Amino acid sequence: MLNDLPIRKIIHVDMDAFYASVEQMDNAELKGKAIAVGGGGKRGVISAASYEARKFGVKSAMSGRLAEKLCPELIFVRPRFDRYKDISNRIRKIFFDYTDLVEPLSLDEAYLDVTDNKIGLPSATLIAQKIRQRIYDEVGLTASAGISINKFIAKVASDYNKPNGQKTVNPEDVLQFLEDLDIRKFYGVGKVTAEKMYQKGIFTGKDLKAKSLEYLDENFGKSGRYYYYIVRGIHNSEVKPNRIRKSLAAERTFSENLSSEIFMLEKLDLIAEEVSRRLEKSKVAGKTITLKIKYSDFTLQTRSKTLSYFVSDKSIILETARELLYQEKLNNSVRLLGISLSNLNTDKDNLSKQNVEDKKSVSVQLKFDF
């Protein structure tokens, strides 16, 4: 029955330029300055950039060399992941004062389901304000938040009033919000997919909504069904406090580009050993082994093989990675190699796929106080 659909109040909390903000908080000399965490050296890649640096176009995953060209005054800071993890744990303790339904996505963001919350406050908007204020008072950092009826809309909304702001998409505003949304802002629509949508005349949620399920399935494969439902406000994924790991990986960026497969195999040996160690530590195994190759021109290629059994042993991982390396000729010299295992024995697909096929109308969720 439609009236049996659960009514949820979801908050997505996203720390503002987290790594960079921690560095600026800990070092007064860095406050107000353009800084990049990581990215040092001629091969470095940036992990995070302060808002002062972002004004120049500096962003995460950018090479340090390019960032320095964009912002000559940029200050590079060595990352301190133990410190970031400690701060993240303090922030999560604040979350748990309001709800036990907390799903961390990374060190700097999380979903909270506050439908039934520990302080008995009916307004998710007010709860988000209280959480952001406590993070600032107790930790010294700012956070942004998005509030709405499901995880997808909450995540999109959290990016609207950054930094140090929040946006609520009330139930009655959901459909209009999604119709007006630029397709590039849809979580799950990457750069390549956005370009493909542009070519097909899809620029906003309204354009996307006009396409039939059959059209989206035909043109966007498995993702087509996902797009069909989210633009209608239907995304019934629950906040999962104990998220199941979907994959496990390790990778290395090299100080010099590699052209010889023999040298690459030496590196893959070390990477396979690290992956195996992490699998053992996590007590998991996987069937699908993926080799990640980033070329010197920054183009990315992945090659995968799915075995008929679960593995965690280094020798099998390495042998499969070797097979994938020689599967076809390399396009260029290589700056990064990585190995990942997915299709894990903890994956609920060897348990249950996320259901995005629920055709129930979102209209029944449009009648409660936010």
Side-chain angles (χ1 to χ4, degrees):
M1 296 291 294
L2 294 180
N3 292 333
D4 293 334
L5 273 177
I7 295 175
R8 298 193 184 107
K9 301 180 183 183
I10 308 298
I11 302 172
H12 178 253
V13 179
D14 192 8
M15 300 303 298
D16 299 322
F18 183 53
Y19 297 171
S21 295
V22 171
E23 297 301 336
Q24 289 179 320
M25 177 178 68
D26 288 353
N27 185 347
E29 293 182 1
L30 297 177
K31 287 185 178 179
K33 294 183 179 179
I35 73 167
V37 177
K42 64 179 181 178
R43 309 286 294 182
V45 176
I46 290 171
S47 297
S50 67
Y51 282 98
E52 294 84 357
R54 294 183 187 189
K55 293 176 183 177
F56 293 88
V58 178
K59 55 187 178 182
S60 61
M62 177 180 284
S63 72
R65 277 188 170 182
L66 176 56
E68 201 165 20
K69 286 181 181 179
L70 294 172
C71 181
E73 303 300 316
L74 189 65
I75 301 171
F76 292 98
V77 181
R78 186 183 296 275
R80 300 179 297 150
F81 291 107
D82 287 344
R83 173 63 169 158
Y84 309 147
K85 188 172 183 179
D86 176 62
I87 294 290
S88 179
N89 287 337
R90 290 171 60 190
I91 293 167
R92 287 180 191 173
K93 286 181 179 178
I94 294 174
F95 295 159
F96 283 114
D97 284 344
Y98 297 87
T99 177
D100 288 328
L101 296 179
V102 177
E103 179 181 338
L105 298 178
S106 59
L107 292 178
D108 62 341
E109 61 176 320
Y111 291 115
L112 291 75
D113 186 331
V114 296
T115 310
D116 297 311
N117 58 81
K118 294 180 179 179
I119 63 173
L121 192 61
S123 171
T125 300
L126 292 178
I127 293 175
Q129 289 174 350
K130 288 178 177 293
I131 289 172
R132 290 175 49 243
Q133 187 63 50
R134 282 191 59 190
I135 292 172
Y136 183 75
D137 292 341
E138 298 173 26
V139 181
L141 298 174
T142 63
S144 296
I147 306 97
S148 197
I149 62 173
N150 62 44
K151 289 161 67 174
F152 171 79
I153 302 171
K155 185 168 177 63
V156 172
S158 67
D159 199 43
Y160 257 69
N161 293 316
K162 270 186 163 291
N164 195 25
Q166 66 181 58
K167 179 176 178 62
T168 298
V169 182
N170 289 302
E172 65 272 17
D173 299 326
V174 162
L175 299 180
Q176 190 64 54
F177 174 80
L178 291 170
E179 286 190 4
D180 294 341
L181 197 63
D182 188 311
I183 205 66
R184 292 172 300 178
K185 293 186 178 294
F186 273 75
Y187 180 58
V189 175
K191 185 177 180 180
V192 173
T193 302
E195 289 296 330
K196 184 176 180 180
M197 287 188 174
Y198 287 167
Q199 292 169 10
K200 297 184 179 300
I202 302 172
F203 299 95
T204 66
K206 186 175 182 180
D207 299 328
L208 179 62
K209 195 173 181 179
K211 302 299 182 182
S212 68
L213 177 58
E214 291 73 22
Y215 178 91
L216 294 174
D217 274 342
E218 181 179 343
N219 288 276
F220 299 97
K222 294 179 181 178
S223 298
R225 189 166 295 265
Y226 167 76
Y227 301 144
Y228 180 85
Y229 287 114
I230 60 171
V231 78
R232 289 165 171 76
I234 301 170
H235 185 249
N236 293 325
S237 174
E238 297 179 0
V239 172
K240 302 179 181 69
N242 299 308
R243 297 181 73 228
I244 295 174
R245 182 189 289 275
K246 295 293 184 182
S247 65
L248 192 150
E251 61 184 39
R252 295 289 184 274
T253 300
F254 311 124
S255 57
E256 300 289 344
N257 294 335
L258 302 181
S259 299
S260 166
E261 284 93 343
I262 294 174
F263 290 145
M264 293 180 201
L265 285 174
E266 292 177 1
K267 304 299 183 182
L268 286 175
D269 184 278
L270 297 173
I271 298 169
E273 184 174 342
E274 176 64 16
V275 170
S276 179
R277 185 188 68 79
R278 294 180 184 181
L279 289 166
E280 297 278 343
K281 184 177 180 181
S282 301
K283 295 182 172 58
V284 296
K287 288 183 177 181
T288 301
I289 298 172
T290 300
L291 176 66
K292 176 181 177 181
I293 304 169
K294 183 179 284 187
Y295 292 106
S296 53
D297 62 359
F298 284 86
T299 57
L300 189 65
Q301 185 181 62
T302 58
R303 305 172 181 179
S304 298
K305 180 177 181 179
T306 298
L307 306 176
S308 59
Y309 49 90
F310 292 104
V311 299
S312 61
D313 181 72
K314 173 195 167 183
S315 61
I316 300 175
I317 295 170
L318 179 59
E319 181 57 33
T320 307
R322 181 182 184 280
E323 180 184 331
L324 293 169
L325 180 66
Y326 285 106
Q327 182 174 285
E328 59 181 271
K329 186 177 179 181
L330 296 172
N331 299 336
N332 206 331
S333 58
V334 173
R335 66 176 277 118
L336 175 149
L337 287 172
I339 299 173
S340 66
L341 258 74
S342 57
N343 199 5
L344 303 181
N345 55 358
T346 55
D347 189 341
K348 285 195 175 179
D349 235 355
N350 291 299
L351 303 168
S352 166
K353 283 188 179 177
Q354 176 181 325
N355 178 20
V356 294
E357 301 184 12
D358 195 333
K359 300 181 181 179
K360 296 174 181 177
S361 168
V362 72
S363 62
V364 299
Q365 302 183 55
L366 305 184
K367 297 178 181 175
F368 61 99
D369 178 27
F370 256 67

